[in-house]
């Protein structure tokens, strides 16, 4: 059993797995990396108990078989290998040759390693980059609190009109719509696992096949298969917190607002990060005051509706709501203490809801 | 009292001070930044109790005076200021204007801030970059142990033949010679303070004036003044650990040896990082063995002396001894268990001593 593979191909494959394979585990076999040779090439696998990943790498193969090697050590060796090509010879020890460098690495029998299963007959395909984008746009709004655990996930809603992603922590909400035609299902991915889905698929071209079975989402891309344990339950009805009527609407560049909020927020109260936004015709005055003094900046906006309105936000929440937006934003106020919406003028799929601070 | 100053100038000045001004302190006034206007321009100061720094910035000044502002908040505001120019108006509050952004920052009276004194009549000048280089080349060898506290410093020896810097942790030693003509003195700078000296002077052009007084080293450069509390005592006689006669001398590229050691060391014993070097004519075999297996690589060397010699090192120590060297290195062995020296072929000022591991 032998394989010859470009160092770069193998290193890229390992980089996909490295973050999920634990360095330490109460089940030490999970710190090992299964290396399998079969007709498809060299197969690498890993799991952290929540997310399973399998990577298939094209390689020059002789024979079939499988060994386990210590994952961290193997990855370090591959990264530091001096040659452009790496040759692996499977045996009681795994021999690795690259340039003038030779290693014999201790191996362990693949028995006892959990069976990872990625085969799903009922899969439906969506663009890999679109899936990653839908998660990325809303991820920031997910909760980090133990309280109401379901909000520690990102909800994905598949329907005949598309994929909708939603995240919320009860104080703000982010929603993203990707137009597609899909069969209906609703699921919640733990936010950390959602980060892994993004990391694996964000730069992938082509499509990813999705299927749900026994509380697990399976994603199959061109070279990577992934399965993710889902959270139980679903979000409470969030649609009712999205305001439908507004008293003021303003349009301005996202970058200018974001930078101004960051500057002014330096002076804000350390506890609630309060910034006051005074909409006044075509002017928007942003100010904050805390223990260290006061900051103030004036921006120009296009506005419709009430001529003057003061509203206060947690600056961090408003800044994060702007993060996914390039170009112009539209902010709509339903009143000084009722929820506001933030949207991208150029990307109608994105909507954020931010609740003002009480005066 | 007013000052107009380019944002970039002020931000660069603050970056010199920011690392030493504490974010929290049992003496809270040290978390403040003294801002002084005088005929020289805008003066910034800071101290962490071990290192005092004063930075003088060219600026357009009206009036003279001094205020204290919260250092961290002021630095954040300056960095995020939207304009290229910053205007400061001194008063009960410090007004900062930049573009459309305005701040009023709480100030504190400069009374109670420790007096920092940098004036020394007996100063002697040396090139700023040379001083930084002499410290940088040996810094890695300083100890981090409580035991033999003097080794937690970098010793600087000034004499008629030059500046010699030395660091050691008792197991290895690094020494660097910079040819200059100086009056004799010997002092030990705590390694962390030495890092600050390097940070401040490494990119400085021109000379720095040095003087020692009451256990303090004062360094005065073009725009920055610095004073550093010295350690008491000096290194024990280290010259006796530097071997004078050798049984084998080998020359090879530093980069190749460093990279090979890093690769092979991945497999080394986790406790002592042992790598074996077998010098054999024009071949150098490097190998290591640990719990996870064995690594081996062969390099080509130019060698004189014994035709075959095996010596074992802590890989980390040998790699660190190579760090300051570009181009070719010369390694000289005095025997399998007695100290070896590592030198740069191109930079005769550098010498490292590494003690082999016992067989």
């Amino acid at each position: 059993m032998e394989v010859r593979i470009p160092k770069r191909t193998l290193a890229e494959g390992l980089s996909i797995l490295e973050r999920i394979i634990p360095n330490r585990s109460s089940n030490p076999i999970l710190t090992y990396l299964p290396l399998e040779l079969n007709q498809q090439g060299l197969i690498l696998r890993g799991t952290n108990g929540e997310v399973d990943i399998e990577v298939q790498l094209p390689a020059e193969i002789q024979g079939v078989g499988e060994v386990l090697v210590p994952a961290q050590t193997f990855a370090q060796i591959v990264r530091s290998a001096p040659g452009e090509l790496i040759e692996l010879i499977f045996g009681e020890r795994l021999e690795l040759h690259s340039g003038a460098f030779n290693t014999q690495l201790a191996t362990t029998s693949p028995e006892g390693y959990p069976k990872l299963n990625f085969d799903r007959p009922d899969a439906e395909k969506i663009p890999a980059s679109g899936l990653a984008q839908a998660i990325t746009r809303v991820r920031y709004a997910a909760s980090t609190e133990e309280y109401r655990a379901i909000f520690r996930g990102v909800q994905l809603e598949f329907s005949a009109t598309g994929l909708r992603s939603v995240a919320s922590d009860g104080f703000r909400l982010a929603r993203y719509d990707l137009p597609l035609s899909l069969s209906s299902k609703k699921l919640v991915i733990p936010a950390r696992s959602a980060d892994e889905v993004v990391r694996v698929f964000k730069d992938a071209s082509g499509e990813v096949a999705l299927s749900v079975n026994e509380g697990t989402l399976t994603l199959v891309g061109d070279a990577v298969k992934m399965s993710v344990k889902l959270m139980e339950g679903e979000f409470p009805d969030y649609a009712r917190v999205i305001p439908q009527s507004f008293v003021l609407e303003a349009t301005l560049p996202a970058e200018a607002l974001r930078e101004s909020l960051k500057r002014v927020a330096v002076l804000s109260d350390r506890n609630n990060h309060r910034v006051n936004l005074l909409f006044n015709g075509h002017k928007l005055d942003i100010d904050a005051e805390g223990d260290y003094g006061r900051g103030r900046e004036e921006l120009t906006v296009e506005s419709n509706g009430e001529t003057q309105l003061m509203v206060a936000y947690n600056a961090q929440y408003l800044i994060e709501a702007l993060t996914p937006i390039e170009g112009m934003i539209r902010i709509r106020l339903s009143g000084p203490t009722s929820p506001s919406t933030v949207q991208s003028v150029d990307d109608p799929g994105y909507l954020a809801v931010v609740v003002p601070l009480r005066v």
Side-chain angles (χ1 to χ4, degrees), chain A residues 78-140:
Chain A
V78 168
R79 266 198 306 272
S80 71
E84 286 185 13
L85 209 65
I86 288 178
E87 185 179 18
L88 302 172
I89 302 172
F90 287 53
E92 200 173 318
R93 290 190 148 197
L94 178 76
E95 287 181 39
L96 181 152
H97 304 293
S98 180
F101 177 67
N102 301 294
T103 293
Q104 292 183 327
L105 202 60
T107 64
T108 296
S109 153
E111 281 171 46
Y113 195 86
K115 175 99 185 93
L116 310 182
N117 188 5
F118 302 94
D119 296 322
R120 300 293 182 212
D122 59 332
E124 183 164 46
K125 292 190 169 181
I126 75 167
S129 60
L131 172 66
Q133 177 174 316
I135 296 172
T136 308
R137 292 284 192 274
V138 305
R139 166 65 176 88
Y140 72 85

Side-chain angles (χ1 to χ4, degrees), chain A residues 18-317:
Chain A
E18 254 186 307
R19 261 182 52 142
I20 66 151
I21 296 180
N23 286 336
R24 284 175 200 176
S25 173
S26 55
N27 183 5
I29 204 164
L30 298 187
T31 67
Y32 280 75
L33 173 76
L35 286 173
E36 185 186 341
L37 291 191
N38 68 25
Q39 282 75 12
Q40 276 77 51
L42 176 63
I43 314 293
L44 316 178
R45 295 194 184 87
T47 178
N48 62 9
E50 292 290 316
V51 177
D52 305 342
I53 297 180
E54 176 181 299
V55 181
Q56 179 185 313
L57 302 174
E60 204 181 297
I61 301 290
Q62 281 180 18
V64 296
E66 186 174 10
V67 293
L68 294 188
V69 291
Q72 205 186 1
T73 305
F74 183 72
Q76 271 182 288
I77 291 169
V78 168
R79 266 198 306 272
S80 71
E84 286 185 13
L85 209 65
I86 288 178
E87 185 179 18
L88 302 172
I89 302 172
F90 287 53
E92 200 173 318
R93 290 190 148 197
L94 178 76
E95 287 181 39
L96 181 152
H97 304 293
S98 180
F101 177 67
N102 301 294
T103 293
Q104 292 183 327
L105 202 60
T107 64
T108 296
S109 153
E111 281 171 46
Y113 195 86
K115 175 99 185 93
L116 310 182
N117 188 5
F118 302 94
D119 296 322
R120 300 293 182 212
D122 59 332
E124 183 164 46
K125 292 190 169 181
I126 75 167
S129 60
L131 172 66
Q133 177 174 316
I135 296 172
T136 308
R137 292 284 192 274
V138 305
R139 166 65 176 88
Y140 72 85
S143 173
T144 55
E145 307 286 332
E146 291 297 331
Y147 172 71
R148 290 202 286 187
I150 193 74
F151 283 149
R152 295 167 60 104
V154 172
Q155 180 160 288
L156 298 181
E157 304 169 16
F158 299 80
S159 72
T161 59
L163 168 59
R164 168 169 286 183
S165 57
V166 188
S168 176
D169 63 3
F171 302 100
R172 36 96 177 258
L173 179 141
R175 192 187 79 186
Y176 193 78
D177 284 321
L178 189 70
L180 287 169
S181 183
L182 301 164
S183 58
S184 286
K185 51 185 165 279
K186 200 181 276 189
L187 49 92
V188 182
I189 303 181
R192 287 189 183 198
S193 301
D195 293 339
E196 296 304 321
V197 173
V198 169
R199 213 170 54 81
V200 168
F201 290 108
K202 72 179 191 309
D203 299 320
S205 56
E207 298 196 300
V208 53
L210 287 101
S211 57
V212 179
N213 211 339
E214 293 172 6
T216 302
L217 170 68
T218 301
L219 305 109
V220 177
D222 285 345
V224 184
K225 299 176 182 180
M226 191 166 183
S227 86
V228 178
K229 280 217 178 70
L230 298 173
M231 296 178 81
E232 280 181 33
E234 60 181 62
F235 283 12
D237 177 24
Y238 59 83
R240 62 185 172 74
V241 308
I242 303 174
Q244 300 301 326
S245 63
F246 302 95
V247 297
L248 189 150
E249 172 183 309
T251 308
L252 71 164
E255 178 75 7
L257 178 57
R258 194 157 47 218
E259 293 307 311
S260 174
L261 286 167
K262 283 184 190 168
R263 277 190 285 275
V264 172
V266 172
L267 279 306
S268 68
D269 184 289
R270 305 267 145 157
N271 294 315
N272 62 13
H273 303 283
R274 179 195 183 96
V275 289
N276 301 308
L277 276 66
L278 174 62
F279 292 89
N280 190 354
H282 290 299
K283 288 181 178 169
L284 168 58
D285 250 328
I286 302 177
D287 86 80
E289 185 155 17
D291 291 345
Y292 288 138
R294 187 172 173 186
R296 191 171 158 274
E297 188 163 341
E298 187 180 285
L299 297 176
T300 302
V301 300
E302 268 184 49
S303 106
N304 289 306
E306 292 200 14
T307 50
Q308 211 181 45
L309 192 66
M310 163 83 99
V311 59
Y313 299 101
N314 176 323
Q316 296 312 316
Y317 277 19

